[in-house]
Amino acid sequence: MKTIDELLAEGVAGKRVFVRADLNVPLENGTATVKIADDGRIRAVLPTVKALAEAGARVVVASHLGRPKGAPDPAFSLAPAAARLGELLGADVAFATDTVGESATATVAGLADGQVAVIENLRFNAGETSKDDAERGAFADQLAALADVYVGDGFGAVHRGHASVLDLPAKLPHYAGYLIAGEVAVLKKLTDEVRRPYVVALGGAKVSDKLAVIDQLLGKADRLLIGGGMAYTFLKAKGHEVGISLLQEDQVPAVKEYIERAEKNGVELVLPVDVLVAGEFPDLKTKAPANPTTVAADAIPADQEGLDIGPETRKLYASKLADAATVFWNGPMGVFEHPDYAEGTKAVAQALLDSPGFTVVGGGDSAAAVRILGFDENAFGHISTGGGASLEYLEGKTLPGLAALED
């Protein structure tokens, strides 16, 4: 995989460089403006964009945002992300109101050396996500006409076989940006070059989203800590009442098998010993007091829902992370968006900060939680920009966007 440093050494002045970034940021719709709730992914691509612009490239930044249906949808416009990128760069960033149409063509043609443009949401064109090779390839041809060189730096999208990720690199000289190169180096420390003890903390809503990675980790990790909504399927598999907590009943047999495998393989599988429960899900808009109660994890009332790990579990998990040489964390421990259910996620984040080992926050909601809860991002070993991509890498899957850059 050739990197951006090799491209810069070759010289990029006057060249149109297409940067496939990941500007898929969460948006909050206000009464008059759209606010970016978390600009972490925009800041993550800055080193690549800055380096190219300072070397005289004409930088064309592209990304998806959300899940529009293959047609323009103002709710998913990249305009706010383009504006924020300009603020962070301290320079004007041009914005094309389409992907490969008249606006994109004119905007790119109007760039001078060292200038940056963002084109509209790639998923406004059905060819970006099409399963038809010809349709996807045709869109990639149109994108290729906008550039001379391709730089892949959208790690959060490399697990997608989309036109701008898979097909476009084959049509242009291609290089990995600083973000992707850094992400891959970190992930190798979690797969090929692991220092032990290796502890993994997994949370989030659905156990089905994590089954494949758990399957791999049962042969690699020394200790697995389970929290979040997925914990209740594990507790159910142990024969415990989980009340009205989030439960994937159809996954109970698979979870039972994993519990047995963990014991057989000598992997310590740690489940909550107490949880915070309430009779209903909290109001995340008003954040009104929820008044939860704490109960033992094996004694959840039938009419109550588990919404965070309890105080004893927080202490337990912190102790299980204290001696780790390598830590990977993916998924919050509870409904961290509400202050009454944020302490479990805070405790795990703090335990990572206190750990002497190499700590990786696996993107997605975990990365968002770190920022929302006020932690210093630079204090962690690494915060990934791609939760799904990180998990699939750990699962041992071939990621289309990385394979395309390796050709």
Side-chain angles (χ1 to χ4, degrees):
M1 184 184 296
K2 292 194 290 186
T3 69
I4 185 175
D5 282 333
E6 294 172 80
L7 172 61
L8 292 170
E10 294 167 9
V12 293
K15 292 184 179 179
R16 300 169 301 162
V17 181
F18 188 103
V19 177
R20 203 323 180 170
D22 179 12
L23 308 181
N24 186 28
V25 293
L27 300 176
E28 295 176 351
N29 291 307
T31 54
T33 60
V34 176
K35 180 183 176 184
I36 294 174
D38 179 6
D39 67 358
R41 286 179 170 173
I42 301 175
R43 286 184 285 110
V45 78
L46 281 179
T48 290
V49 174
K50 275 186 174 180
L52 290 168
E54 289 173 358
R58 303 177 182 191
V59 186
V60 182
V61 180
S63 176
H64 71 283
L65 192 154
R67 296 180 182 273
K69 306 296 184 182
D73 183 339
F76 297 105
S77 175
L78 275 175
R84 181 59 179 151
L85 178 62
E87 291 173 357
L88 293 168
L89 286 171
D92 290 337
V93 168
F95 181 67
T97 56
D98 56 27
T99 56
V100 291
E102 292 182 4
S103 179
T105 301
T107 300
V108 174
L111 290 176
D113 293 1
Q115 291 187 329
V116 179
V118 173
I119 62 174
E120 186 56 285
N121 192 336
L122 293 167
R123 291 185 183 176
F124 284 3
N125 189 304
E128 169 68 0
T129 59
S130 176
K131 296 187 184 302
D132 181 86
D133 291 349
E135 183 180 12
R136 216 175 50 248
F139 182 49
D141 285 335
Q142 292 177 296
L143 292 172
L146 299 174
D148 305 304
V149 181
Y150 177 94
V151 171
D153 214 31
F155 181 72
V158 294
H159 59 314
R160 307 293 188 191
H162 294 167
S164 64
V165 176
L166 175 63
D167 303 271
L168 182 56
K171 302 177 185 296
L172 295 169
H174 46 268
Y175 302 79
Y178 290 124
L179 175 60
I180 280 186
E183 293 272 14
V184 171
V186 166
L187 288 168
K188 285 183 177 178
K189 293 183 179 181
L190 301 177
T191 53
D192 305 329
E193 308 158 7
V194 181
R195 291 188 295 123
R196 298 184 180 279
Y198 178 21
V199 184
V200 177
L202 294 177
K206 295 182 179 180
V207 69
S208 57
D209 293 340
K210 305 287 197 307
L211 284 179
V213 75
I214 292 172
D215 183 66
Q216 286 292 315
L217 290 170
L218 286 175
K220 294 180 178 178
D222 299 300
R223 198 176 295 149
L224 281 175
L225 316 181
I226 305 295
M230 62 184 289
Y232 303 102
T233 301
F234 276 84
L235 292 172
K236 184 71 171 180
K238 296 279 284 185
H240 303 317
E241 169 66 54
V242 297
I244 58 173
S245 305
L246 185 62
L247 172 66
Q248 289 187 282
E249 190 80 49
D250 61 324
Q251 301 298 330
V252 169
V255 169
K256 284 183 177 179
E257 180 187 341
Y258 286 170
I259 292 172
E260 293 171 1
R261 277 182 55 199
E263 185 175 356
K264 180 180 178 181
N265 292 352
V267 177
E268 186 180 3
L269 182 62
V270 188
L271 301 178
V273 294
D274 62 345
V275 296
L276 269 61
V277 300
E280 59 183 4
F281 197 82
D283 188 328
L284 299 183
K285 288 186 177 180
T286 66
K287 293 184 171 52
N291 301 315
T293 56
T294 302
V295 301
D298 60 357
I300 298 174
D303 63 347
Q304 299 284 293
E305 178 177 10
L307 296 162
D308 193 16
I309 57 174
E312 292 305 314
T313 304
R314 291 174 222 151
K315 294 176 186 175
L316 173 65
Y317 285 12
S319 71
K320 296 296 183 180
L321 290 162
D323 67 343
T326 304
V327 180
F328 176 72
W329 168 38
N330 180 278
M333 295 292 107
V335 187
F336 73 92
E337 301 90 341
H338 191 285
D340 287 351
Y341 302 108
E343 293 305 316
T345 302
K346 281 183 181 178
V348 169
Q350 187 61 53
L352 263 67
L353 290 183
D354 295 340
S355 170
F358 178 62
T359 57
V360 179
V361 180
D365 286 341
S366 311
V370 164
R371 289 185 276 270
I372 291 170
L373 298 175
F375 288 93
D376 179 4
E377 296 175 66
N378 297 320
F380 296 88
H382 180 74
I383 297 182
S384 178
T385 57
S390 295
L391 288 176
E392 290 197 14
Y393 190 101
L394 294 182
E395 290 168 21
K397 289 184 177 180
T398 297
L399 305 187
L402 297 185
L405 292 175
E406 289 169 352
D407 290 341

